[in-house]
Amino acid sequence: MIAALARQYHAFFNAWVFFTRLPAPPKVVFNDDHLNQGSRYFSWIGLIIGVLLAVIFYGLQLVLPVALAVGLMLGASLLLTGAFHEDGLADVFDGLGGGFSKEAALTIMKDSRLGTYGAAALIVTLGLRGLALFEVLTAEPMAAFWLLPLLHCWSRFWAISTLWTLDYARADASSKSKPLATRFGLSATIIAALPLVLIAVLPWQGALWALLLAVFLRAVLVGWFRRRLDGYTGDCLGAAQQLQELLLLLVWVALGV
């Protein structure tokens, strides 16, 4: 029992360091097996990031206009995660927008340079996130404490759920997702899904719409990745997280919660 808990402790902090720019406690053991197991904590890490961002936003809006507080909070989110998921979004749109074969798309996605498709995707998604957050948080700044944790855990769960139905697209270990999450079974799914109980903050009609649209977007993205890449890469998971976060935020605004 103690050994099993110790493995999960190491797995969590392997994922923590992988997905954030925040340090782990001393004596954490880093290896491929712990990182693979750590995929089940992706949504939990999102939950913690959301709480941190809520605290940052609430403190900032006490001394600054809400628009500036939202902008600085989004900047803080990039610092906390190293723009990890935004990088994946840009790479996917560059690769699938500019590459006409699987090999060409994967090559473009490995290129560190930012192209037109990726830049456009970042501008549009970041802009929409900022506008939507401003719309919600101007009316109720305290909503940050349930909105931001929900956004970040919900979107990460649906991103990692991609692994239920897709295989890894690369033949080597060159993508940033390796060796993360090559397997994602029932126990991992249950652990990853637990933070999603936060969706209860929405009216039941809103929660139902959020669920249906998340499933729809997942189906669209999985079909796109399968058709173009015959699987997923780490960039695909990052793109899925960004788009699921934006979708839930738009649902929240549409509901006028």
Side-chain angles (χ1 to χ4, degrees):
M1 180 66 176
I2 294 177
L5 290 174
R7 282 196 300 272
Q8 295 309 308
Y9 171 83
H10 293 300
F12 176 86
F13 282 107
N14 271 245
W16 177 258
V17 170
F18 191 80
F19 286 119
T20 77
R21 291 297 178 265
L22 300 172
K27 299 183 180 180
V28 170
V29 177
F30 294 96
N31 59 42
D32 291 354
D33 182 58
H34 287 152
L35 183 55
N36 190 292
Q37 290 188 39
S39 61
R40 68 193 62 191
Y41 299 115
F42 192 15
S43 54
W44 289 92
I45 290 168
L47 178 68
I48 295 170
I49 289 172
V51 171
L52 292 175
L53 292 175
V55 172
I56 290 169
F57 166 77
Y58 195 79
L60 287 170
Q61 64 84 37
L62 294 175
V63 295
L64 293 171
V66 171
L68 289 178
V70 166
L72 289 170
M73 181 268 290
L74 287 175
S77 75
L78 299 180
L79 291 175
L80 286 173
T81 64
F84 191 70
H85 310 302
E86 286 81 2
D87 178 65
L89 177 78
D91 285 346
V92 164
F93 276 85
D94 274 338
L96 300 186
F100 295 102
S101 68
K102 172 184 175 179
E103 293 72 23
L106 290 173
T107 298
I108 293 171
M109 288 164 70
K110 287 174 63 177
D111 193 329
S112 60
R113 292 172 294 183
L114 180 63
T116 302
Y117 293 108
L122 285 175
I123 291 168
V124 170
T125 55
L126 280 169
L128 287 174
R129 283 162 62 195
L131 290 170
L133 286 166
F134 173 74
E135 183 73 21
V136 174
L137 298 178
T138 297
E140 180 51 76
M142 283 294 293
F145 287 99
W146 48 91
L147 171 60
L148 294 174
L150 174 60
L151 285 175
H152 285 272
C153 71
W154 178 269
S155 59
R156 283 161 173 79
F157 173 82
W158 289 106
I160 206 71
S161 78
T162 303
L163 277 63
W164 295 341
T165 47
L166 287 181
D167 295 323
Y168 189 65
R170 296 187 189 275
D172 57 20
S174 59
S175 170
K176 60 173 68 71
S177 75
K178 274 291 191 179
L180 174 72
T182 54
R183 299 180 302 275
F184 203 67
L186 179 60
S187 63
T189 298
I190 292 171
I191 292 171
L194 288 175
L196 271 59
V197 298
L198 282 174
I199 198 67
V201 301
L202 289 174
W204 72 266
Q205 300 95 329
L208 180 60
W209 272 111
L211 177 60
L212 292 174
L213 289 172
V215 171
F216 174 75
L217 178 57
R218 180 189 180 278
V220 170
L221 292 175
V222 165
W224 191 30
F225 300 152
R226 179 183 287 118
R227 185 174 66 254
R228 295 299 312 279
L229 301 174
D230 295 323
Y232 77 94
T233 69
D235 290 325
C236 295
L237 303 185
Q241 185 276 324
Q242 289 285 286
L243 295 173
Q244 289 283 4
E245 180 181 330
L246 177 58
L247 178 62
L248 180 58
L249 186 52
L250 294 177
V251 169
W252 191 288
V253 173
L255 291 172
V257 178

